[in-house]
């Protein structure tokens, strides 16, 4: 059985997470607007996404290019700002460039080259985040922290990409100390590279189960799905 949040429930859930985000930002000595909310909309039907957009959510994230294409017509009237937050295969690059404002999951020089080439072809610069696997779990996408520097140097040579931050999927664990260590590692990576990459300030980290913790570690964007829409069936 699927547990879905009703439409009024979506608005109420959004109000609640916004209040929690604001409180967590303030506890960290930042302003509420310094932490953006991205709605993770994988498996969520367009009608329900539109409810969330009407309730003020402006930024959505999809994991699969296929799903972005499938929902494009239904969501077009609302023109949400869309980010890709899932792994990108090279054969999907041409379909996604032009449809998203940011690819948060850049994890190789090869994929960066293809994104750069396509963004140049359509004449629209593309924002990118580098995805880092801070927990070292084999199942997770993203590059190892030790590989970040080389990828950043590569990105610096590409004309059509705007490298603006870092993304990670945190450790799924009840051990708060370990989850925190991962998020702090991403923040440290950003801070270490700020002198050479001053535009790369974003830290996209934190999901429904741990976004307040991620904000306390410096998250500038949290990606929330189930706490707004209810649990997913797949
Ligand atoms: C699904 C997903 C989220 C949101 O997860 P919830 O636990 O439902 O909030 C965030 N980021 C990525 C990359 C996801 O795939």
């Amino acid at each position: 059985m699927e547990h879905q949040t009703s439409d009024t429930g979506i608005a109420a859930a959004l109000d609640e997470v916004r209040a929690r985000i604001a409180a967590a930002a303030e506890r960290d000595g930042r302003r509420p607007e310094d932490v953006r909310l991205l709605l993770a909309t994988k498996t969520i039907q367009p009608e329900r996404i539109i409810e969330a957009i009407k309730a003020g959510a402006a930024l959505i994230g999809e994991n699969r290019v296929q799903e972005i294409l499938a929902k494009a017509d239904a969501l077009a009237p609302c023109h949400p700002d869309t980010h890709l937050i899932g792994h990108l295969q090279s054969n999907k690059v041409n379909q996604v460039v032009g449809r998203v404002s940011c690819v948060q999951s850049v994890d190789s020089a090869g994929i960066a080259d293809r994104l750069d080439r396509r963004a140049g072809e359509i004449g629209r610069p593309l924002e990118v985040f580098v995805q880092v696997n801070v927990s070292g779990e084999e199942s997770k996408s993203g590059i190892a922290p030790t590989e970040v520097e080389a990828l950043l140097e590569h990105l610096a040579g590409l004309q059509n990409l705007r490298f603006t931050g870092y993304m990670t999927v945190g450790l799924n664990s009840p051990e708060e100390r370990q989850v925190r260590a991962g998020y702090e590692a991403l923040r440290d990576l950003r801070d270490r590279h700020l002198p050479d990459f001053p535009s790369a300030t974003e830290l996209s980290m934190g999901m429904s189960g741990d976004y307040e913790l991620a904000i306390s570690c410096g998250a500038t964007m949290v990606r929330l799905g189930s706490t707004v829409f209810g649990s997913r069936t797949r």
Side-chain angles (χ1 to χ4, degrees):
M1 279 286 284
E2 186 168 15
H3 168 259
Q4 287 197 341
T5 310
S6 67
D7 290 354
T8 46
I10 289 174
L14 271 173
D15 281 347
E16 160 141 17
V17 294
R18 284 202 196 94
R20 285 174 173 269
I21 289 169
E26 277 161 7
R27 281 196 298 276
D28 193 47
R30 291 184 290 153
R31 296 168 304 174
E33 60 269 30
D34 293 339
V35 182
R36 283 194 286 165
L37 165 61
L38 174 142
L39 284 181
T41 50
K42 61 174 176 272
T43 79
I44 306 298
Q45 295 303 310
E47 304 75 56
R48 311 188 70 240
I49 299 172
I50 290 168
E51 281 312 316
I53 294 170
K54 284 186 187 152
L59 180 60
I60 69 174
E62 284 286 354
N63 290 65
R64 297 169 61 238
V65 175
Q66 226 90 346
E67 215 170 316
I68 293 174
L69 298 175
K71 296 175 188 176
D73 286 347
L75 294 181
C78 310
H79 42 82
D81 188 8
T82 305
H83 288 191
L84 183 72
I85 61 173
H87 180 71
L88 176 60
Q89 289 172 312
S90 51
N91 63 355
K92 296 281 173 16
V93 164
N94 286 4
Q95 291 170 294
V96 79
V97 175
R99 290 191 182 271
V100 298
S101 65
C102 178
V103 174
Q104 295 199 7
S105 48
V106 171
D107 59 1
S108 73
I111 208 78
D113 286 344
R114 285 170 192 261
L115 288 168
D116 178 67
R117 192 179 320 134
R118 184 61 184 163
E121 279 167 9
I122 69 163
R124 262 167 77 179
L126 177 69
E127 207 178 319
V128 295
F129 296 174
V130 166
Q131 183 173 355
V132 185
N133 181 356
V134 291
S135 66
E137 292 166 283
E138 292 236 348
S139 60
K140 292 261 166 77
S141 308
I143 57 172
T146 51
E147 299 170 327
V148 168
E149 189 163 338
L151 183 54
L152 300 198
E153 280 167 13
H154 188 81
L155 289 175
L158 302 179
Q159 297 300 310
N160 305 296
L161 301 185
R162 306 272 173 270
F163 165 51
T164 53
Y166 304 80
M167 187 269 256
T168 197
V169 176
L171 186 67
N172 182 7
S173 160
E175 288 293 328
E176 182 180 314
R177 215 166 38 85
Q178 292 175 24
V179 181
R180 177 178 289 280
Y183 289 151
E184 287 178 346
L186 196 70
R187 183 185 63 198
D188 291 348
L189 271 175
R190 178 199 61 185
D191 292 349
R192 191 171 339 134
H193 291 106
L194 266 179
D196 290 326
F197 298 92
S199 306
T201 54
E202 298 276 359
L203 291 176
S204 171
M205 57 191 198
M207 317 204 312
S208 291
D210 65 3
Y211 64 98
E212 288 159 299
L213 174 64
I215 292 169
S216 78
C217 299
T220 65
M221 185 185 293
V222 293
R223 307 181 308 268
L224 304 183
S226 53
T227 194
V228 174
F229 293 111
S231 56
R232 289 175 296 268
T233 43
R234 65 186 162 95

